[in-house]
Amino acid sequence: MTRADSLHIAGADRRTKTSRRGGRTFVQVLGRILTYVLVAAGAVATATPFVWLILSSFKSLQEVVLFPPTFFPKKPVFSNFREVFSMIPFGRYYLNSIITSVIPTVATVLTSSMTGMGFAKYRFAGRSLLFWIILSTMMVPFPATIVPLYVMVSRAGLVNTYAGLIVVGLSSAFGIFMMRQFIMSIPDELLDAARIDGASEFRIFLQVVMPLTKPAVATLTLFTFTNHWGAYIWPLIVVNSDRLRTLPLAIPYFSGQYFSFQNLINAASLMSIAPVLVLFMFTQRYFVQGIALTGLKS
Amino acid sequence: MNPGSSAAVAVRRRPFTWHRLQKLVAPYVFISPGVIFYLMVTIIPMIWGFWISFHKWSIIWPAHPWVGLANYRALLTEDLFWTSLRNTAVYTAGVVPVELALALMVALLLNTKLRGRGIFRLLYYLPVVTPLSISAVIWQWIYHPHVGLLNWLMRVLRLPTHDWLQEIGTAMLAVVIVGIWSGVGYRMVIFLAALQGIPQTYYEAAMIDGASGFALFRHITLPLLKPATLFVLVTSVMSSFQVFGLVNVLTQGGPLDATNVVVYYIYKRAFGDLQFGLAAAASFVLFAIILVITAIQWKLVGREVSYE
C-alpha cells in the first residue's frame, strides 16, 4: 500500500512537471472526467437489470404488469419473498443448491490443493506427463462429455440422486493449475525446516503450506462455488424429479409456469443470487491478487 | 547423513528411512485425488464417448450395434447440424470481440486512480456470479414484447419495438447481448490482474525517456497484456462454443432453429431423441473444432507466451 502510494506521489510529481512544461492540466482533467463518465455509463448498463430485478421484487402483482412500467414501486410490498415459499417448494430447491454447491466446493479446494502440492513440491516419475494430461483436460468442453458421463452415472444407478449431481464436480483442472502455481512460489526452505522438526509430509501440507495459500484458496472457493451454484446442464440431465431440482433449474421452470407472477419470480431470483453476491463481497479483496499470483503471471 | 558412531546411526536410521519413504510416497498420495478424478470424469468418458459414437446407442435399448462411421455421415449430411454449427459461429463472432474490447476498456479505466474502484469492480462483476439460467430469466422479462423494459425504451426513443426472442431477425442478437453482459466482468478482472502486474518502474523509465500517453500504452501496456489477451481470447471462444443455458432458457433454440447452437443440438439429440450415438459423434465434432480453433489462436497470438 505504502509503496503504491509513494509511486502514486512520484507519478503525480511527474505530471506537475509535464504540465508546467506543456500545460496539459486541462486535457488531464478532461480525461479524468471522461474516464468517470465512461466507467459510470458502463456500470449503469451492467447494473440496470439488477436494479430492475430488485425494484420489481418489491412490487405488487398489479403493479408489475403495468405498461408503461413503473420504475420505483409505488407501494413497496415485502410479501413476495414469503409467498414464493408457499407457491413452490423454494426451501427445498435452496437446500438442494446448497448441498450440491458446498460439497463440491470443499472437495475441489481440498483435492486441488493436494494435487497442486504434489506437482509443485516433489519430483517423481511421470510428473510432467501427468500434469500435462490434467492441464489438457481443460481443453475438453464439458458438454462434449455429457453423453458418456450420463451413461456412466446411470449405470452406477446415480440418476436422480445427490451423488449423481455432485460426482462430476469434485475437482477442477483450473484449480489444480492455480494451486500448483501458487504453491510453487512458497520457498522450499520453509518445508525443509518443518521436515527437520520432524513434521510429516501431510502435516507440512496442512500446517505450513495451506495457511500460506489463503488468496488462492479464496479465489478458488469463489470460482468453484459460483460455478456449482449456477450449474445448469448437468443437473438438467441427471435430475428429473422436482425434489432434486436446484435453483438454476427451478427458477426458469417457475418462470415458465407462472410467467405473469413476475414479482414472485423476481423475488425468487433475487434470493437465489444472494449467496454468491455475499461470497463475492467477502472474497473480492483476495480476488485480483489471487488471479495475479497464479496462472496469468506467466 | 554423516555417520558419527554406529549407535547414533542406529538411533537415527528409523526416522530417517521413514522420512525418505514418506517423501517417495507422498507425491503420489497428494496427486491421486486429482488424477483419479480426471481419469473418471474426463479421460474415460472421452474414450468411451468416442466408442459410443461408432454405435447405434440408446439408453433404453440393451443392444448397441456397431455402425461404423454412420453417425458421422448422418451428422454431416444433416442440415440442422450445420445450422447449429453456423449459429454457434455467429454467436461466437458476436460475443467474443465485443467482450474482449469492453473488458479491456473497462480494465484500463479501472486501473487508473479512480474513486470508488471497488464499487465499480463489484458492479461489473455481478453478472458473472449470477447463474446464467437466472440471468436468462431476468432478461426474458426485459425482452418481453408487452411489459419489457427494452420495448419501453425503444418506444421512448421512437424506435421500432420487437418481440425480441421470438423474431428470427432479433433472437440471436438478444442471446448475444445477454452473453456479453454476463461475460465481460470475468475478462475484465483478468485484464485488471495483468495490468496490476506491470511494474510501475517501466512506465517511469519510459517517461524519463520522454514517452507519454498513447506511446506508453502502445509500447508498454499492450505488449505486456499479450498473455492475458491470449488467455481471454481462448477461454472466451471456448465458452462461446459451449453456450447452452442461455439458449435453453431464452429461446429453446427457436424461432425456427435461429438460435439452435451445437450444445443444444447435442442435448436434444441425446436427451430428447435418445440418439446417444449421434449425440456422441456431434460432441466429438465440437471437441475437434474447439481444439483446432484454440491451436490456431495459440499460433497466431501466443508464440512467445509460455506457461511454465
Side-chain angles (χ1 to χ4, degrees), chain A residues 155-234:
Chain A
R155 287 201 177 167
L158 297 179
V159 169
N160 263 327
T161 63
Y162 283 119
L165 279 168
I166 287 165
V167 74
V168 300
L170 296 178
S171 191
S172 126
F174 171 77
I176 291 171
F177 180 61
M178 191 170 144
M179 294 311 292
R180 170 193 176 253
Q181 299 294 98
F182 199 91
I183 293 171
M184 279 199 326
S185 70
I186 296 172
D188 285 334
E189 289 78 8
L190 226 55
L191 277 70
D192 286 334
R195 276 186 197 116
I196 289 167
D197 290 344
S200 70
E201 296 299 319
F202 194 71
R203 188 151 166 212
I204 291 172
F205 167 69
L206 272 186
Q207 295 189 341
V208 179
V209 173
M210 283 310 280
L212 293 170
T213 58
K214 232 170 152 189
V217 166
T219 310
L220 185 57
T221 304
L222 176 69
F223 269 149
T224 317
F225 188 83
T226 310
N227 273 347
H228 289 292
W229 192 260
Y232 184 69
I233 190 166
W234 183 249

Side-chain angles (χ1 to χ4, degrees), chain A residues 141-155 159 168 233-234 237-238, chain B residues 41 44-55 57-59 71 262-263 265-272 274-284:
Chain A
F142 178 71
T145 58
I146 53 173
V147 170
L149 267 180
Y150 180 82
V151 175
M152 286 169 76
V153 164
S154 87
R155 287 201 177 167
V159 169
V168 300
I233 190 166
W234 183 249
I237 291 165
V238 98
Chain B
V41 172
I44 292 177
M46 281 294 285
I47 297 166
W48 203 9
F50 198 49
W51 176 250
I52 290 174
S53 75
F54 295 107
H55 293 76
W57 193 301
S58 167
I59 198 89
N71 286 325
V262 175
V263 177
Y265 174 91
I266 295 172
Y267 169 74
K268 275 291 166 195
R269 275 285 175 264
F271 302 99
L274 300 180
Q275 298 189 342
F276 276 49
L278 199 61
S283 304
F284 252 83

